[in-house]
């Protein structure tokens, strides 16, 4: 059966796509380090002109919204992949946590919360993420592999704390993040231990951090 090859992007379009990826990666790095940094710092970090940045993002807030939305899409893809995984429920859950750490899920939440307006689409997507994560947790708990009191808010906060580890270069930082994730996973797997103190963070508490 004959297939039609996708036409390659023109040189200008390919360069624009590369610039956009450079800008987003630079913005994640710059705003994680300093949420108050000017948008010009992103252009400098990405090695592109400020005009190239403004052709794609009309303001700093627009860029922050796109970064948050992109992060939500990447997280949602991982939780859906875990739900589609027919392997052992615990292995699927643990793999999901490791992938979330590697893609930076939650890395900007604490740093950028309250610095941009949440759109209706982002709010809707956040609820979709919440429900999908809840299904993953319930499946793992039903298999007897995850502490029964663990809820979605716990996962969000744990990922945020792991991404707060800023020691050494990128390689060393990632190594330490996975070291402490391994300890957290061991604790999450202890289903017969004393109940944790206090309730988990609610959806309203997590969502409320984005209000100015």
């Amino acid at each position: 059966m004959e297939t039609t090859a996708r036409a390659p992007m023109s040189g200008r379009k390919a360069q624009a796509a590369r610039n956009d990826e450079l800008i987003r990666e630079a913005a994640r790095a710059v705003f994680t380090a300093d949420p108050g940094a000017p948008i010009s710092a992103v252009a400098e970090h990405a090695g592109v002109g400020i005009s190239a940045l403004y052709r794609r993002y009309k303001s700093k807030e627009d860029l922050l919204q796109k970064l948050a939305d992109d992060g939500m899409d990447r997280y949602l893809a991982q939780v859906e992949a875990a739900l589609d995984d027919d392997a052992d429920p615990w292995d699927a859950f643990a793999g999901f946590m490791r992938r979330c750490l590697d893609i930076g899920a939650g890395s900007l939440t604490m740093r950028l919360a309250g610095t941009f307006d949440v759109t209706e689409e982002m709010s809707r997507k956040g609820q979709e993420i919440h429900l999908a994560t809840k299904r993953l947790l319930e499946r793992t708990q039903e298999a007897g592999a995850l502490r029964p009191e663990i809820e979605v808010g716990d996962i969000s906060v744990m990922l945020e704390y792991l991404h707060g580890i800023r020691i050494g270069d990128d390689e060393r930082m990632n190594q330490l993040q996975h070291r402490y994730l391994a300890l957290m996973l061991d604790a999450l797997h202890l289903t017969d231990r004393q109940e944790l103190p206090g309730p988990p963070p609610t959806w309203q508490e997590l969502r409320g951090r984005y209000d100015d």
Side-chain angles (χ1 to χ4, degrees):
M1 177 172 148
E2 185 177 350
T3 58
T4 302
R6 179 181 296 178
M9 288 190 292
S10 68
R12 181 174 295 180
K13 287 184 178 180
Q15 183 61 47
R18 286 193 293 270
N19 283 347
D20 192 52
E21 183 60 29
L22 284 172
I23 289 168
R24 294 198 187 202
E25 289 297 331
R28 277 188 279 270
V30 167
F31 294 137
T32 296
D34 179 11
I39 199 168
S40 59
V42 176
E44 182 179 357
H45 192 282
V48 302
I50 191 69
S51 59
L53 192 153
Y54 275 118
R55 279 197 295 270
R56 291 162 180 78
Y57 305 101
K58 60 185 179 181
S59 65
K60 179 179 176 179
E61 181 177 50
D62 182 41
L63 176 54
L64 291 176
Q65 288 175 329
K66 295 295 193 305
L67 282 179
D69 190 63
D70 179 57
M72 295 170 83
D73 285 339
R74 299 198 312 173
Y75 177 94
L76 185 58
Q78 293 304 325
V79 73
E80 288 176 343
L83 285 168
D84 289 339
D85 191 340
D86 294 329
D88 175 80
W90 173 254
D91 290 342
F93 171 75
F96 156 76
M97 292 291 288
R98 295 185 188 103
R99 292 193 303 274
C100 282
L101 188 55
D102 284 334
I103 66 169
S107 61
L108 289 177
T109 302
M110 289 190 297
R111 302 295 283 164
L112 300 183
T115 62
F116 60 89
D117 289 334
V118 176
T119 66
E120 289 186 10
E121 172 62 17
M122 290 170 65
S123 183
R124 182 203 62 76
K125 193 175 294 184
Q127 293 182 33
E128 183 181 356
I129 285 171
H130 185 92
L131 292 174
T133 307
K134 184 178 180 181
R135 290 199 303 273
L136 178 63
L137 297 182
E138 289 175 345
R139 186 182 72 173
T140 313
Q141 288 162 340
E142 288 169 2
L146 177 67
R147 296 181 71 131
E149 68 269 40
I150 298 301
E151 296 187 12
V152 177
D154 295 311
I155 301 304
S156 177
V157 171
M158 281 190 287
L159 288 172
E160 289 177 16
Y161 275 113
L162 288 166
H163 282 292
I165 298 171
R166 322 298 294 180
I167 299 174
D169 58 19
D170 288 346
E171 182 179 358
R172 177 59 175 153
M173 185 172 65
N174 182 260
Q175 184 183 58
L176 288 171
Q177 287 171 344
H178 278 278
R179 175 184 176 86
Y180 295 112
L181 173 59
L183 289 172
M184 288 183 176
L185 288 172
D186 283 348
L188 291 171
H189 206 21
L190 297 174
T191 58
D192 59 348
R193 296 306 172 92
Q194 183 177 353
E195 186 173 344
L196 296 171
T202 65
W203 162 256
Q204 290 78 13
E205 287 176 315
L206 295 174
R207 171 63 178 81
R209 294 179 301 172
Y210 286 92
D211 297 328
D212 294 331

